[in-house]
Every structure is written in structure tokens, then in C-alpha cells.
């Protein structure tokens, strides 16, 4: 009997698990000091009324023998896939076949599981700082020996530079987690051209596209000419519609994307049919409700609520002398720690002195050291309180 020793190559705890342990220990020792959490990217607003109504109806269906639903279709109910296609793609001029869309329990799962269809010999390129799941899941599989880290710093506008060497699998997340920065269509076209020229596959995490406000920023990589032959896209209802506790997302694998003449769509379809039993009927009905006229408006209102929070954080930090990035097309604010302070030291300072929780940049990779992430997913009241505490502490 042997274990998978690749698991010993990663930290014993996930970044946000480490943060939770530190915060819980502080709360236990200081029960009289209320914490404001702006660290993990979990939403706080309730689901849209349309989604709740749809879920209630779906529960009633499950209670009636005539309308009861058992195992869902492997890749999602056709009515949800059609709604996704028409609203998220066709409305933006992107033509997809429904068979290219796979409904899942979230983008995080798919970003990790997609590695199943690739050989361990492939060289992986990731941004630095980066969402930990991209790196950790590849390390778990044994694909970490020659991983290429692409620094994203203030000097390059927090955008990765095209590698001079060949990368086989390229993870891109825009709008970016953790920096909050977006990529323009012209810049993304460079990556598509690179991937097609080198036979690479781009894994494009578009979980935060609902927060985009600028016209030159693409919501989907398939808005870029040539992307269907080199890119897989991940989407999530978590940040768009508040499904963090419900779990639903989807992945797009175009039929035109082939490696050595083999369609990756067929490989992913086989993987999902074997290892995944589909998303619950109740959840898929809630997801479909996001695309009704009322659902769209309710979700826009929630996104606007978080966008306002992001501006409050951004403007408040700016006013007390911090160097701040993000917020415009993203729910994340990325700030430079004061006086060259280490990011975990800054975490401790905020927790212990003003009881505000964020995420240390170092947890996202070496280039995140000296930076710190705050999220706009708290309540408006708590967001304003947190900013006021920061301003008072730093004396501005």
C-alpha cells in the first residue's frame, strides 16, 4: 500500500482553511471583539427571489410521483443548457452548440478536474499570484515538476507576459482573482494567437465576468477570434448569482478544440459521465431562473450592491494613502501593504488591532508577497465599518 506522495508536496491545509483557523482562534480568545470578514470570497446577499421561487416549485415536483426527477442528465438539463447558450453566448455574438456546454457543481471543481484529460507530461503555466486551486490540483496529480510561473506585478500591470518558452496548459483568470485586474480583448488575442501557434490549451476561468463594466474587456474568451481551437472556459453561478451554498457552474469545451486529432470535448464528456452524477434538479431549476427577465434584473441589482462595496473599499483605502488596484471590473480590491510589511504580518495587524479579516497576498504565490486582498462580498454596513476602522487606525 502506498499513498499519492504528490499530496505531501502541497501545504497540509488550503489557504482559506489556514485563515479560518487563525480567525477562529482569535474569536475564541476575544469573544468581546466583533470580527468583520472581508477575506474569503463568499457572498452574503440572499438568492434572487426568482431563484427561490423556482427552487420551491422544484421541491414540489420532487414530492409528486408524476413530476419526480431522479438522476439528472449527465451534462445538464437541456432547458438550462439552452438558457446558458442563448444568454451568455449567443447574446454576445458567440455561436456554440449545446453539446459544448457541460453543467457542473461549480468552476472550482472543474478547474481542478479538467487535468484528468491531460497527460502528466504537459508543462503548466500559471499566473503568480494565482488562485491556489490551479497549482494545488496539478501538484496533486504529479504535474508540478516543470511548472511555469508568470509574475503579475505592478510593473507589468498585473498581466502575465507571453512566455518565451512553450507552455502546454495555460491557466488564465480574468477578471483576475486575487488582483481584481481585467484583460482587454487585444491583450487576450495575443494569448489566443500564442496558444494556436504552439498547440497549447488555455484554461480560461471567467467566474467573475458579471462584474465587468468596461466595453473593451471580454466576458468570454470566445469573443476572441480563434479561441475555439485553443480554449476551454469555466463559468460559475457562485459569484454571479450567489450560488456559493447551492453549487452550480458550467464548462465549455468546443468541438473545434483538438489535440493530436482528438476532440477534448469527447474526453471531458467521458470523464464527467464516469466521475460525476450531475447537478440536482432543484439547483438547475434555480440556475435557469437566473435567465428570466426578473431574475436577470434581481441579479444585476445584487452585483451592483457588491460593486458599490468595492468602490467604498477602494476609495477609503486610497484616501488614507494605500496603493490600491482592482474594484473596477471585479469584486476584489488588491492593495500594497504599508512600509514593505509582509502580507501575513499585515493580516495579523488587521485582525489583532481592528478585527478586520482579509487574505494575505503571499498565500496566492511569491509575487503576492507585499500585497493583500479584500473582498466586496460583505454587507454594506460591515464594509463601511471595516473601511472606517482602517482609516481610523492608519490615522487618515
Amino acid at each position: 500500500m502506498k499513498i499519492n506522495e504528490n499530496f505531501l508536496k502541497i501545504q497540509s491545509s488550503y489557504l482559506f482553511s489556514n485563515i479560518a483557523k487563525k480567525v477562529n482562534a482569535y474569536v475564541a480568545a476575544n469573544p468581546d471583539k466583533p470580527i468583520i470578514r472581508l477575506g474569503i470570497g463568499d457572498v452574503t446577499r440572499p438568492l434572487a427571489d426568482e431563484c427561490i421561487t423556482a427552487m420551491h416549485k422544484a421541491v414540489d415536483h420532487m414530492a409528486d410521483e408524476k413530476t419526480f426527477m431522479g438522476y439528472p442528465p449527465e451534462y445538464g438539463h437541456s432547458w438550462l443548457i439552452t438558457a446558458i447558450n442563448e444568454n451568455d453566448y449567443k447574446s454576445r455574438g458567440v455561436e456554440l452548440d449545446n453539446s459544448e456546454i457541460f453543467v457542473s457543481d461549480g468552476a472550482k471543481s472543474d478547474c481542478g478536474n479538467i487535468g484528468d484529460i491531460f497527460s502528466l507530461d504537459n508543462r503548466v503555466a500559471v499566473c503568480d499570484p494565482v488562485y491556489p486551486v490551479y497549482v494545488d490540483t496539478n501538484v496533486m496529480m504529479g504535474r508540478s515538476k516543470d511548472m511555469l510561473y508568470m509574475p503579475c506585478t505592478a510593473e507589468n500591470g498585473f498581466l502575465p507576459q507571453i512566455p518565451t518558452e512553450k507552455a502546454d496548459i495555460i491557466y488564465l483568470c480574468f477578471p483576475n482573482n486575487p488582483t481584481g485586474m481585467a484583460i482587454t480583448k487585444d491583450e487576450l488575442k495575443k494569448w489566443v494567437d500564442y496558444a494556436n501557434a504552439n498547440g497549447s490549451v488555455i484554461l480560461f476561468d471567467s467566474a467573475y465576468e458579471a462584474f465587468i463594466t468596461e466595453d473593451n474587456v471580454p466576458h468570454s474568451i470566445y469573443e476572441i477570434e480563434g479561441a475555439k481551437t485553443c480554449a476551454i472556459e469555466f463559468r460559475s453561478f457562485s459569484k454571479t448569482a450567489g450560488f456559493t451554498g447551492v453549487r452550480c457552474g458550467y464548462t465549455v469545451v468546443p468541438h473545434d478544440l483538438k489535440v493530436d486529432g482528438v476532440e477534448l470535448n469527447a474526453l471531458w464528456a467521458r470523464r464527467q459521465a464516469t466521475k460525476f452524477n450531475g447537478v440536482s434538479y432543484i439547483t438547475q431549476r434555480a440556475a435557469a431562473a437566473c435567465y428570466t427577465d426578473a431574475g436577470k434584473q434581481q441579479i444585476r441589482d445584487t452585483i451592483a450592491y457588491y460593486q458599490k462595496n468595492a468602490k467604498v473599499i477602494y476609495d477609503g483605502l486610497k484616501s488614507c494613502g494605500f496603493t490600491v488596484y482592482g474594484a473596477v471590473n471585479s469584486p476584489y480590491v488588491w492593495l500594497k501593504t504599508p512600509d514593505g510589511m509582509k502580507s501575513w504580518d499585515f493580516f495579523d495587524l488587521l485582525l489583532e488591532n481592528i478585527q478586520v479579516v482579509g487574505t494575505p497576498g503571499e498565500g496566492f504565490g511569491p509575487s503576492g508577497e507585499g500585497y493583500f486582498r479584500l473582498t466586496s462580498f460583505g454587507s454594506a454596513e460591515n464594509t463601511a465599518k471595516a473601511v472606517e476602522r482602517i482609516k481610523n487606525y492608519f490615522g487618515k
Side-chain angles (χ1 to χ4, degrees):
M1 172 62 192
K2 294 183 179 180
I3 63 169
N4 180 353
E5 294 186 357
N6 293 306
F7 276 73
L8 303 180
K9 299 175 183 178
I10 60 175
Q11 292 186 13
S12 59
S13 295
Y14 185 53
L15 169 62
F16 297 105
S17 298
N18 286 335
I19 291 173
K21 289 176 183 177
K22 290 181 71 105
V23 173
N24 291 340
Y26 180 87
V27 170
N30 302 274
D32 58 326
K33 296 182 178 180
I35 297 289
I36 298 178
R37 302 171 190 263
L38 300 181
I40 192 169
D42 196 3
V43 297
T44 55
R45 302 294 293 168
L47 296 176
D49 288 343
E50 279 287 287
C51 296
I52 295 296
T53 298
M55 293 176 83
H56 281 303
K57 289 181 179 178
V59 169
D60 289 338
H61 292 165
M62 299 298 280
D64 188 330
E65 185 177 355
K66 295 178 182 178
T67 53
F68 173 80
M69 303 292 292
Y71 286 122
E74 295 168 333
Y75 312 128
H77 285 283
S78 59
W79 36 262
L80 174 56
I81 293 174
T82 296
I84 289 169
N85 200 352
E86 291 180 352
N87 289 276
D88 291 345
Y89 292 100
K90 289 183 179 179
S91 66
R92 297 190 180 280
V94 175
E95 290 297 324
L96 293 177
D97 189 83
N98 277 7
S99 62
E100 297 174 308
I101 301 170
F102 299 82
V103 176
S104 72
D105 61 351
K108 179 179 181 179
S109 300
D110 287 356
C111 284
N113 293 330
I114 196 70
D116 284 1
I117 69 173
F118 297 114
S119 166
L120 297 182
D121 297 331
N122 289 304
R123 189 178 194 191
V124 177
V126 295
C127 296
D128 173 27
V130 66
Y131 182 43
V133 170
Y134 309 151
V135 174
D136 287 356
T137 53
N138 276 286
V139 174
M140 288 173 179
M141 294 184 69
R143 201 184 284 115
S144 62
K145 184 177 179 181
D146 195 27
M147 193 170 289
L148 176 63
Y149 290 87
M150 303 179 293
C152 298
T153 64
E155 289 70 29
N156 61 21
F158 297 101
L159 293 178
Q161 304 302 294
I162 300 290
T164 55
E165 60 266 67
K166 183 178 184 295
D168 300 303
I169 300 170
I170 304 164
Y171 285 83
L172 296 178
C173 174
F174 290 104
N176 185 259
N177 177 16
T179 68
M181 303 301 283
I183 192 169
T184 65
K185 292 179 181 179
D186 289 343
E187 287 297 318
L188 188 53
K189 181 68 165 67
K190 295 176 184 178
W191 282 98
V192 169
D193 291 345
Y194 169 88
N196 280 321
N198 288 277
S200 309
V201 174
I202 296 172
L203 303 180
F204 193 76
D205 187 349
S206 187
Y208 302 97
E209 62 82 27
F211 290 85
I212 292 172
T213 61
E214 297 177 319
D215 293 337
N216 65 337
V217 174
H219 289 253
S220 166
I221 195 170
Y222 303 120
E223 295 176 45
I224 309 302
E225 184 180 359
K228 287 185 181 180
T229 55
C230 68
I232 293 172
E233 181 164 279
F234 307 96
R235 290 283 191 96
S236 171
F237 289 92
S238 288
K239 304 309 191 296
T240 301
F243 276 43
T244 55
V246 178
R247 309 308 305 147
C248 193
Y250 63 88
T251 291
V252 178
V253 188
H255 290 295
D256 291 341
L257 177 53
K258 300 176 183 179
V259 175
D260 294 331
V262 177
E263 279 194 20
L264 296 190
N265 180 286
L267 300 186
W268 184 242
R270 187 67 177 86
R271 189 268 173 208
Q272 291 298 83
T274 301
K275 289 190 173 184
F276 184 60
N277 252 353
V279 177
S280 76
Y281 171 71
I282 296 168
T283 296
Q284 290 195 59
R285 279 298 182 191
C290 296
Y291 297 108
T292 65
D293 289 342
K296 289 178 186 177
Q297 184 58 57
Q298 289 163 10
I299 288 168
R300 280 195 295 266
D301 291 344
T302 298
I303 295 294
Y305 179 95
Y306 293 135
Q307 287 173 324
K308 185 176 180 180
N309 283 351
K311 182 170 173 52
V312 168
I313 297 170
Y314 184 96
D315 290 346
L317 293 175
K318 201 82 164 158
S319 72
C320 53
F322 283 94
T323 301
V324 196
Y325 306 93
V328 177
N329 296 292
S330 168
Y332 297 123
V333 176
W334 187 243
L335 63 115
K336 191 170 180 60
T337 57
D339 303 319
M341 183 179 289
K342 297 290 187 181
S343 58
W344 275 107
D345 291 340
F346 189 66
F347 173 92
D348 291 336
L349 182 150
L350 293 185
L351 175 61
E352 294 169 7
N353 291 279
I354 58 174
Q355 293 75 54
V356 172
V357 177
T359 308
E362 191 268 339
F364 296 102
S367 293
E369 182 57 274
Y371 290 89
F372 201 77
R373 193 192 77 173
L374 293 174
T375 84
S376 65
F377 290 122
S379 69
E381 179 183 8
N382 280 342
T383 298
K385 283 182 180 179
V387 170
E388 197 60 30
R389 289 182 187 183
I390 292 172
K391 290 167 71 174
N392 289 339
Y393 182 82
F394 287 95
K396 299 289 184 178

